[in-house]
Amino acid sequence: MNIVLGITGGIAAYKAPDLVRRLRERGGDVQIVMTTSAEEFVTGTALQAVSGRPIRSNLWDKEAEAAMSHIELARWADVVLIAPATAEVMARIVSGGAPDLLTTICLATEAPIAVAPAMNHVMWNNPATQANRRVLEERGVHILGPGVGSQACGETGAGRMIEPDAIATAVFDLGTSKGEGLLAGKKVVITAGPTREPIDPVRYISNRSSGKMGYAMARAAIAQEADVVLISGPVNLPEPAGVEVHSVLSAQDMYEATHDAIEDADIFISAAAVADYRPADVKAQKIKKNDESMSIELVRCPDILASVAALDTGPFTVGFAAETEKVDDYARSKLEKKKLDMIIANRVGDDCGFDTDDNSVNVFWTDGERRFPTARKSELARNLIELVAQRFYAARGTDTQPRLTVVSNIE
Ligand code: PMT
């Protein structure tokens, strides 16, 4: 794997030689690109010795550019990893600015980008950094960590760079070497977001789903080289790169779009919060208020997940169960009733599950389970997709046994 390793100016840069060693141990060819401030923390001489390649740092270095221009470098990379990544470099990538070699490569590359943030915990929690982190995730940038613990400044909190070994493992698990992704050649259909069930031309019944979980699953599946079809209810999220997106409104629309896409699918993941009921009669004109109370008759919507699971030669089918109480019990009962291959039990409430950046889930299948600690949806999705791939291959009886790596934000 060709890895451009960007090193930016944080105290964690002292771990860079160890990171290079671990990337090379796994077969990585590492080209280091340092920012000017990184040079304050670690010497180019040490890094050149461990990487075996001249260090690049200056966009205007004529000799280095003649050997391999920044555009060639951007094309050469199978992955661009920035570790440590400062708040500044995250902001630069978000803005699309390219004042130096590293950010120019980020703008010019089509390879996946992974960043391992490292900064003071107050800087990490600053709304600006968190907003940048969210944008990067939505654009498909892999955020590795940060870890929680004592910091160089003497304080404690989230912001430590995760350990070099965990970064190296995560980079190699991105499935970025062509044809080596866990789901290379597999078609994965995912539903995400809410549905809207119209009452009249101006009103509808819906729910609080933001689509973040389903979109994160789609990005994680793409990172594992799946062909992904995302059937999305109305959300306010950018389309993940490389994903075929079908936008729908109602449960019936989602049912039809799913069945159009499902025929040759290998895996179906139902992350959407689909309405269970819709108004029996959609009024042609806006309903006027007359009486003190009013009733709307509701009828059942199609159960998309159950209908896919019931197909004779259907895909490996994964449901979510959003529950406010007895989460595991209700999820297990849905696994059985809907005849699913796997179910992801999701506790939901005012502050969890719906429209949050974090989530916490437990996964069940007929003879097993796995529990995941609270983590960002993007991070959770990466681990869930690996688990889905593992169970998919086990169910199909193939030899492929993908590795399962949990990149935890807790050290
Ligand atoms: O979108 P976010 O804000 O990120 O929030 C994520 C989430 C909480 C919505 C997501 O993680 C989640 O739990 N999705 C499932 C929500 C849901 O509808 O759960 P349920 O227990 O009501 O339904 C069980 C399963 O049946 C789900 O896989 C659902 O997609 C599916 N279903 C439900 C009803 C229906 N008519 N058709 C379906 O396919």
Side-chain angles (χ1 to χ4, degrees), residues 209-211 213 270-272 275 302 304-305 320 322 334 338 346 355 377:
S209 170
S210 62
M213 191 68 229
S270 186
I304 303 167
L305 179 61
F320 273 75
K334 281 179 184 167
K338 298 198 188 195
N346 198 159
D355 200 15
K377 284 178 177 169

Side-chain angles (χ1 to χ4, degrees), residues 119-174:
M119 65 196 76
N120 165 271
H121 66 104
V122 181
M123 290 170 79
W124 172 250
N125 287 317
N126 186 291
T129 309
Q130 287 304 306
N132 289 335
R133 192 260 303 155
R134 269 194 295 277
V135 172
L136 290 176
E137 280 180 342
E138 284 167 10
R139 290 184 193 161
V141 172
H142 302 272
I143 313 277
L144 311 177
V148 178
S150 59
Q151 302 203 282
C153 55
E155 295 169 6
T156 301
R160 280 163 59 118
M161 187 173 87
I162 59 169
E163 290 305 320
D165 198 49
I167 297 175
T169 305
V171 165
F172 276 81
D173 281 351
L174 291 178

